[in-house]
Amino acid sequence: MRTQVAIIGAGPAGLLLGQLLQRAGVDAVILERQTPEYVLGRIRAGVLEQGTVALLEEAGVAERLHAEGLPHAGIELAFGGRRHRIGFEATGAHVTVYGQTEVTRDLMAARAASAATTVYEAADVALHGFDGERPRVTWRAGGHSHELACDWIAGCDGYHGVSRASVPAGAISTYERVYPFGWLGVLCDTPPVSDELIYANHPRGFALCSMRSRTRSRYYVQCGLEQKVEDWPDGRFFDELRARLDGAAASALVTGPSIEKSIAPLRSFVAEPMRFGRLLLAGDAAHIVPPTGAKGLNLAASDVRYLSRALVAACRDGDPAEVDRYSERCLRRVWKAVRFSWWFTTLMHRFPDAGELGQKLQEAELDYLVGSRAAALALAENYVGLPFED
Ligand code: FAD
Ligand code: DHB
């Protein structure tokens, strides 16, 4: 088998890249280790930047997003028993609440409607020859070995994928921080506690009231890394969430049986560069941010924006200049989002080793943020998404 671009991974990065290439007339095959049902079962991000929505429009998959997504023009910060709104109006932009699961579902439907090949349950995917002119990908499926010759390989296979792991250690630099807590998340079919998202900093730890729709809520509480989902029956989870919210939000909270519950560790991670010969990394394969501020999925989309343009120029027009600029261009935006996610995480969580000074500084920063138009605007412009370079 032969294609122009072999895409490893059918998460949002791989599927969106496939769709953009397909519309530009560039041939791509996607290889995914899991089944489609497994990919759709992962409950993850829920907030889309305007630039992500624009890219989904360009990919022709934004119809349901526009019909069902909820535009949000601000967030609320809760601390010291009160809530303070940070509006996005001065940025001229807003975000859209629409789940990663739904984005993935829309992309899968668009791909299924085209003639493009997607191989699910591809085992032992291996990358070969990307340091030369003729890269290849091999895998096993249905008891047989398969091989795909290609011009480029797009590594869109997430943090634990094979693409980054295939790069010789001496050719890659990594930067990492693991945070001393995780997020315990619950999804339930109840109306959200408020019209906008609430990020709470409380002596018991961080809490977030988010949503997927007007009838589906997503809640998170900061938890210890040693905690297990089994330790958290629904009643205990909602008692803990209520205890971390201001009085009005606590009494407005509608509880119901959870339909998903999971614990995610928090990490900042960047691998540099994002290109190795004919292998290009995008999304979680190259970087991870802690979820505070909802940047992970948006960053995957912004990588794909640059990557799709670079691959179209190389494959269709024979112009490799954009591929040459890909890593440097992506990383400038990536590092700013890594910085914002680290800063917002540090501001909103209780750190076991903060000390009294650290605690006082955190309180002063929160107070400054809600009292200074300039500070609030800096949060807002990062939250709605920084501009793209063209
Ligand atoms: P992924 O979504 O990880 O997709 C990679 C795909 O590659 C997967 O389908 C995987 O099965 C496949 N794959 C892996 N290895 C191989 C292989 N060897 N061969 C073939 N295929 C392979 N972001 C937010 O903004 N807010 C959140 O609340 C949030 N919560 C999260 C919770 C969890 C538990 C995780 C892990 C992430 C969360 N994120 C969140 C981050 C966000 O979901 C990711 O940034 C986003 O999924 C990145 O998309 P991606 O396509 O790059 O990677
Ligand atoms: C969600 C996750 C986030 O990290 C965030 O900042 C906002 C919303 C969510 O899953 O809904």
Side-chain angles (χ1 to χ4, degrees), residues 221-242:
V221 295
Q222 173 185 349
C223 67
L225 288 171
E226 73 296 344
Q227 300 279 306
K228 302 264 172 295
V229 166
E230 304 74 67
D231 301 334
W232 290 90
D234 292 355
R236 181 179 174 208
F237 177 87
F238 283 114
D239 286 348
E240 188 59 45
L241 176 65
R242 218 179 271 111

PDB file of all heavy atoms in Angstrom, residues 221-242:
ATOM      1  N   VAL A 221     -12.560  17.811  40.888  1.00  0.00           N
ATOM      2  CA  VAL A 221     -11.928  18.269  42.135  1.00  0.00           C
ATOM      3  C   VAL A 221     -10.472  17.809  42.143  1.00  0.00           C
ATOM      4  O   VAL A 221     -10.144  16.707  41.663  1.00  0.00           O
ATOM      5  CB  VAL A 221     -12.643  17.752  43.419  1.00  0.00           C
ATOM      6  CG1 VAL A 221     -14.050  18.323  43.545  1.00  0.00           C
ATOM      7  CG2 VAL A 221     -12.677  16.230  43.487  1.00  0.00           C
ATOM      8  N   GLN A 222      -9.603  18.684  42.649  1.00  0.00           N
ATOM      9  CA  GLN A 222      -8.191  18.319  42.857  1.00  0.00           C
ATOM     10  C   GLN A 222      -8.142  17.173  43.873  1.00  0.00           C
ATOM     11  O   GLN A 222      -8.835  17.216  44.891  1.00  0.00           O
ATOM     12  CB  GLN A 222      -7.456  19.543  43.412  1.00  0.00           C
ATOM     13  CG  GLN A 222      -6.024  19.283  43.842  1.00  0.00           C
ATOM     14  CD  GLN A 222      -5.388  20.527  44.498  1.00  0.00           C
ATOM     15  OE1 GLN A 222      -5.953  21.617  44.449  1.00  0.00           O
ATOM     16  NE2 GLN A 222      -4.231  20.336  45.103  1.00  0.00           N
ATOM     17  N   CYS A 223      -7.337  16.137  43.591  1.00  0.00           N
ATOM     18  CA  CYS A 223      -7.228  15.020  44.543  1.00  0.00           C
ATOM     19  C   CYS A 223      -5.773  14.572  44.650  1.00  0.00           C
ATOM     20  O   CYS A 223      -4.952  14.915  43.792  1.00  0.00           O
ATOM     21  CB  CYS A 223      -8.118  13.852  44.108  1.00  0.00           C
ATOM     22  SG  CYS A 223      -7.583  13.064  42.577  1.00  0.00           S
ATOM     23  N   GLY A 224      -5.481  13.812  45.695  1.00  0.00           N
ATOM     24  CA  GLY A 224      -4.131  13.291  45.887  1.00  0.00           C
ATOM     25  C   GLY A 224      -3.817  12.235  44.839  1.00  0.00           C
ATOM     26  O   GLY A 224      -4.717  11.561  44.322  1.00  0.00           O
ATOM     27  N   LEU A 225      -2.535  12.084  44.506  1.00  0.00           N
ATOM     28  CA  LEU A 225      -2.142  11.125  43.472  1.00  0.00           C
ATOM     29  C   LEU A 225      -2.379   9.681  43.890  1.00  0.00           C
ATOM     30  O   LEU A 225      -2.447   8.781  43.051  1.00  0.00           O
ATOM     31  CB  LEU A 225      -0.658  11.328  43.109  1.00  0.00           C
ATOM     32  CG  LEU A 225      -0.371  12.593  42.299  1.00  0.00           C
ATOM     33  CD1 LEU A 225       1.126  12.837  42.184  1.00  0.00           C
ATOM     34  CD2 LEU A 225      -1.015  12.501  40.919  1.00  0.00           C
ATOM     35  N   GLU A 226      -2.514   9.469  45.206  1.00  0.00           N
ATOM     36  CA  GLU A 226      -2.710   8.104  45.701  1.00  0.00           C
ATOM     37  C   GLU A 226      -4.198   7.708  45.651  1.00  0.00           C
ATOM     38  O   GLU A 226      -4.533   6.550  45.891  1.00  0.00           O
ATOM     39  CB  GLU A 226      -2.163   7.984  47.140  1.00  0.00           C
ATOM     40  CG  GLU A 226      -2.973   8.661  48.249  1.00  0.00           C
ATOM     41  CD  GLU A 226      -3.072  10.210  48.136  1.00  0.00           C
ATOM     42  OE1 GLU A 226      -2.282  10.807  47.382  1.00  0.00           O
ATOM     43  OE2 GLU A 226      -3.951  10.798  48.789  1.00  0.00           O
ATOM     44  N   GLN A 227      -5.078   8.649  45.313  1.00  0.00           N
ATOM     45  CA  GLN A 227      -6.518   8.375  45.355  1.00  0.00           C
ATOM     46  C   GLN A 227      -6.942   7.436  44.215  1.00  0.00           C
ATOM     47  O   GLN A 227      -6.351   7.457  43.137  1.00  0.00           O
ATOM     48  CB  GLN A 227      -7.291   9.685  45.211  1.00  0.00           C
ATOM     49  CG  GLN A 227      -6.991  10.691  46.301  1.00  0.00           C
ATOM     50  CD  GLN A 227      -7.767  10.412  47.564  1.00  0.00           C
ATOM     51  OE1 GLN A 227      -8.983  10.306  47.528  1.00  0.00           O
ATOM     52  NE2 GLN A 227      -7.062  10.272  48.674  1.00  0.00           N
ATOM     53  N   LYS A 228      -8.000   6.648  44.487  1.00  0.00           N
ATOM     54  CA  LYS A 228      -8.550   5.732  43.474  1.00  0.00           C
ATOM     55  C   LYS A 228     -10.010   6.109  43.223  1.00  0.00           C
ATOM     56  O   LYS A 228     -10.695   6.560  44.150  1.00  0.00           O
ATOM     57  CB  LYS A 228      -8.528   4.286  43.983  1.00  0.00           C
ATOM     58  CG  LYS A 228      -7.149   3.773  44.362  1.00  0.00           C
ATOM     59  CD  LYS A 228      -6.537   2.991  43.196  1.00  0.00           C
ATOM     60  CE  LYS A 228      -5.104   2.629  43.449  1.00  0.00           C
ATOM     61  NZ  LYS A 228      -4.181   3.770  43.547  1.00  0.00           N
ATOM     62  N   VAL A 229     -10.470   5.899  41.989  1.00  0.00           N
ATOM     63  CA  VAL A 229     -11.860   6.210  41.650  1.00  0.00           C
ATOM     64  C   VAL A 229     -12.818   5.491  42.613  1.00  0.00           C
ATOM     65  O   VAL A 229     -13.838   6.061  43.042  1.00  0.00           O
ATOM     66  CB  VAL A 229     -12.139   5.807  40.177  1.00  0.00           C
ATOM     67  CG1 VAL A 229     -13.618   5.796  39.878  1.00  0.00           C
ATOM     68  CG2 VAL A 229     -11.428   6.762  39.226  1.00  0.00           C
ATOM     69  N   GLU A 230     -12.457   4.246  43.016  1.00  0.00           N
ATOM     70  CA  GLU A 230     -13.331   3.453  43.895  1.00  0.00           C
ATOM     71  C   GLU A 230     -13.507   4.117  45.264  1.00  0.00           C
ATOM     72  O   GLU A 230     -14.444   3.823  45.989  1.00  0.00           O
ATOM     73  CB  GLU A 230     -12.765   2.043  44.130  1.00  0.00           C
ATOM     74  CG  GLU A 230     -12.486   1.229  42.890  1.00  0.00           C
ATOM     75  CD  GLU A 230     -11.243   1.679  42.112  1.00  0.00           C
ATOM     76  OE1 GLU A 230     -10.111   1.539  42.635  1.00  0.00           O
ATOM     77  OE2 GLU A 230     -11.417   2.200  40.999  1.00  0.00           O
ATOM     78  N   ASP A 231     -12.553   5.015  45.628  1.00  0.00           N
ATOM     79  CA  ASP A 231     -12.665   5.703  46.928  1.00  0.00           C
ATOM     80  C   ASP A 231     -13.739   6.790  46.891  1.00  0.00           C
ATOM     81  O   ASP A 231     -14.007   7.420  47.911  1.00  0.00           O
ATOM     82  CB  ASP A 231     -11.330   6.396  47.288  1.00  0.00           C
ATOM     83  CG  ASP A 231     -10.169   5.423  47.357  1.00  0.00           C
ATOM     84  OD1 ASP A 231     -10.427   4.238  47.626  1.00  0.00           O
ATOM     85  OD2 ASP A 231      -9.022   5.847  47.111  1.00  0.00           O
ATOM     86  N   TRP A 232     -14.244   7.068  45.692  1.00  0.00           N
ATOM     87  CA  TRP A 232     -15.098   8.246  45.513  1.00  0.00           C
ATOM     88  C   TRP A 232     -16.486   7.895  44.982  1.00  0.00           C
ATOM     89  O   TRP A 232     -16.809   8.201  43.821  1.00  0.00           O
ATOM     90  CB  TRP A 232     -14.417   9.249  44.584  1.00  0.00           C
ATOM     91  CG  TRP A 232     -13.230   9.910  45.210  1.00  0.00           C
ATOM     92  CD1 TRP A 232     -11.934   9.498  45.178  1.00  0.00           C
ATOM     93  CD2 TRP A 232     -13.251  11.105  45.997  1.00  0.00           C
ATOM     94  NE1 TRP A 232     -11.139  10.364  45.890  1.00  0.00           N
ATOM     95  CE2 TRP A 232     -11.923  11.374  46.396  1.00  0.00           C
ATOM     96  CE3 TRP A 232     -14.267  11.994  46.402  1.00  0.00           C
ATOM     97  CZ2 TRP A 232     -11.590  12.466  47.185  1.00  0.00           C
ATOM     98  CZ3 TRP A 232     -13.928  13.077  47.165  1.00  0.00           C
ATOM     99  CH2 TRP A 232     -12.607  13.314  47.554  1.00  0.00           C
ATOM    100  N   PRO A 233     -17.349   7.302  45.808  1.00  0.00           N
ATOM    101  CA  PRO A 233     -18.739   7.133  45.382  1.00  0.00           C
ATOM    102  C   PRO A 233     -19.347   8.518  45.112  1.00  0.00           C
ATOM    103  O   PRO A 233     -18.840   9.532  45.619  1.00  0.00           O
ATOM    104  CB  PRO A 233     -19.414   6.445  46.575  1.00  0.00           C
ATOM    105  CG  PRO A 233     -18.466   6.537  47.720  1.00  0.00           C
ATOM    106  CD  PRO A 233     -17.096   6.801  47.167  1.00  0.00           C
ATOM    107  N   ASP A 234     -20.414   8.571  44.300  1.00  0.00           N
ATOM    108  CA  ASP A 234     -20.969   9.863  43.880  1.00  0.00           C
ATOM    109  C   ASP A 234     -21.249  10.799  45.060  1.00  0.00           C
ATOM    110  O   ASP A 234     -20.963  11.997  44.997  1.00  0.00           O
ATOM    111  CB  ASP A 234     -22.273   9.649  43.086  1.00  0.00           C
ATOM    112  CG  ASP A 234     -22.009   8.993  41.738  1.00  0.00           C
ATOM    113  OD1 ASP A 234     -20.823   8.799  41.379  1.00  0.00           O
ATOM    114  OD2 ASP A 234     -22.995   8.667  41.042  1.00  0.00           O
ATOM    115  N   GLY A 235     -21.812  10.252  46.133  1.00  0.00           N
ATOM    116  CA  GLY A 235     -22.177  11.087  47.282  1.00  0.00           C
ATOM    117  C   GLY A 235     -20.959  11.798  47.848  1.00  0.00           C
ATOM    118  O   GLY A 235     -20.997  13.009  48.124  1.00  0.00           O
ATOM    119  N   ARG A 236     -19.868  11.082  48.003  1.00  0.00           N
ATOM    120  CA  ARG A 236     -18.653  11.693  48.542  1.00  0.00           C
ATOM    121  C   ARG A 236     -18.121  12.765  47.585  1.00  0.00           C
ATOM    122  O   ARG A 236     -17.687  13.835  48.005  1.00  0.00           O
ATOM    123  CB  ARG A 236     -17.585  10.616  48.784  1.00  0.00           C
ATOM    124  CG  ARG A 236     -16.329  11.209  49.365  1.00  0.00           C
ATOM    125  CD  ARG A 236     -15.237  10.184  49.660  1.00  0.00           C
ATOM    126  NE  ARG A 236     -14.038  10.906  50.078  1.00  0.00           N
ATOM    127  CZ  ARG A 236     -12.797  10.488  49.933  1.00  0.00           C
ATOM    128  NH1 ARG A 236     -12.554   9.307  49.374  1.00  0.00           N
ATOM    129  NH2 ARG A 236     -11.790  11.210  50.337  1.00  0.00           N
ATOM    130  N   PHE A 237     -18.159  12.461  46.286  1.00  0.00           N
ATOM    131  CA  PHE A 237     -17.663  13.422  45.296  1.00  0.00           C
ATOM    132  C   PHE A 237     -18.450  14.739  45.387  1.00  0.00           C
ATOM    133  O   PHE A 237     -17.871  15.831  45.466  1.00  0.00           O
ATOM    134  CB  PHE A 237     -17.760  12.851  43.870  1.00  0.00           C
ATOM    135  CG  PHE A 237     -17.336  13.850  42.832  1.00  0.00           C
ATOM    136  CD1 PHE A 237     -16.000  13.967  42.475  1.00  0.00           C
ATOM    137  CD2 PHE A 237     -18.257  14.715  42.245  1.00  0.00           C
ATOM    138  CE1 PHE A 237     -15.585  14.922  41.546  1.00  0.00           C
ATOM    139  CE2 PHE A 237     -17.856  15.672  41.317  1.00  0.00           C
ATOM    140  CZ  PHE A 237     -16.518  15.772  40.973  1.00  0.00           C
ATOM    141  N   PHE A 238     -19.773  14.642  45.390  1.00  0.00           N
ATOM    142  CA  PHE A 238     -20.568  15.879  45.372  1.00  0.00           C
ATOM    143  C   PHE A 238     -20.453  16.634  46.696  1.00  0.00           C
ATOM    144  O   PHE A 238     -20.500  17.870  46.709  1.00  0.00           O
ATOM    145  CB  PHE A 238     -22.022  15.575  44.989  1.00  0.00           C
ATOM    146  CG  PHE A 238     -22.177  15.327  43.512  1.00  0.00           C
ATOM    147  CD1 PHE A 238     -22.555  14.084  43.018  1.00  0.00           C
ATOM    148  CD2 PHE A 238     -21.918  16.347  42.610  1.00  0.00           C
ATOM    149  CE1 PHE A 238     -22.682  13.861  41.659  1.00  0.00           C
ATOM    150  CE2 PHE A 238     -22.038  16.138  41.238  1.00  0.00           C
ATOM    151  CZ  PHE A 238     -22.419  14.896  40.763  1.00  0.00           C
ATOM    152  N   ASP A 239     -20.305  15.915  47.821  1.00  0.00           N
ATOM    153  CA  ASP A 239     -20.096  16.610  49.112  1.00  0.00           C
ATOM    154  C   ASP A 239     -18.804  17.417  49.051  1.00  0.00           C
ATOM    155  O   ASP A 239     -18.733  18.552  49.508  1.00  0.00           O
ATOM    156  CB  ASP A 239     -20.005  15.595  50.268  1.00  0.00           C
ATOM    157  CG  ASP A 239     -21.382  15.018  50.609  1.00  0.00           C
ATOM    158  OD1 ASP A 239     -22.382  15.578  50.119  1.00  0.00           O
ATOM    159  OD2 ASP A 239     -21.432  14.003  51.340  1.00  0.00           O
ATOM    160  N   GLU A 240     -17.774  16.796  48.458  1.00  0.00           N
ATOM    161  CA  GLU A 240     -16.466  17.476  48.382  1.00  0.00           C
ATOM    162  C   GLU A 240     -16.554  18.687  47.444  1.00  0.00           C
ATOM    163  O   GLU A 240     -16.028  19.762  47.765  1.00  0.00           O
ATOM    164  CB  GLU A 240     -15.407  16.476  47.882  1.00  0.00           C
ATOM    165  CG  GLU A 240     -13.987  16.991  47.939  1.00  0.00           C
ATOM    166  CD  GLU A 240     -13.525  17.399  49.341  1.00  0.00           C
ATOM    167  OE1 GLU A 240     -13.786  16.652  50.297  1.00  0.00           O
ATOM    168  OE2 GLU A 240     -12.907  18.482  49.469  1.00  0.00           O
ATOM    169  N   LEU A 241     -17.214  18.503  46.312  1.00  0.00           N
ATOM    170  CA  LEU A 241     -17.358  19.613  45.360  1.00  0.00           C
ATOM    171  C   LEU A 241     -18.098  20.775  46.017  1.00  0.00           C
ATOM    172  O   LEU A 241     -17.660  21.928  45.970  1.00  0.00           O
ATOM    173  CB  LEU A 241     -18.116  19.113  44.118  1.00  0.00           C
ATOM    174  CG  LEU A 241     -18.437  20.161  43.062  1.00  0.00           C
ATOM    175  CD1 LEU A 241     -17.158  20.724  42.430  1.00  0.00           C
ATOM    176  CD2 LEU A 241     -19.338  19.569  41.968  1.00  0.00           C
ATOM    177  N   ARG A 242     -19.231  20.463  46.672  1.00  0.00           N
ATOM    178  CA  ARG A 242     -20.051  21.492  47.331  1.00  0.00           C
ATOM    179  C   ARG A 242     -19.222  22.261  48.351  1.00  0.00           C
ATOM    180  O   ARG A 242     -19.294  23.481  48.450  1.00  0.00           O
ATOM    181  CB  ARG A 242     -21.238  20.809  48.009  1.00  0.00           C
ATOM    182  CG  ARG A 242     -22.506  21.591  47.914  1.00  0.00           C
ATOM    183  CD  ARG A 242     -23.669  20.874  48.567  1.00  0.00           C
ATOM    184  NE  ARG A 242     -24.397  19.988  47.706  1.00  0.00           N
ATOM    185  CZ  ARG A 242     -24.416  18.655  47.802  1.00  0.00           C
ATOM    186  NH1 ARG A 242     -23.720  18.034  48.739  1.00  0.00           N
ATOM    187  NH2 ARG A 242     -25.134  17.947  46.968  1.00  0.00           N
TER     188      ARG A 242
END
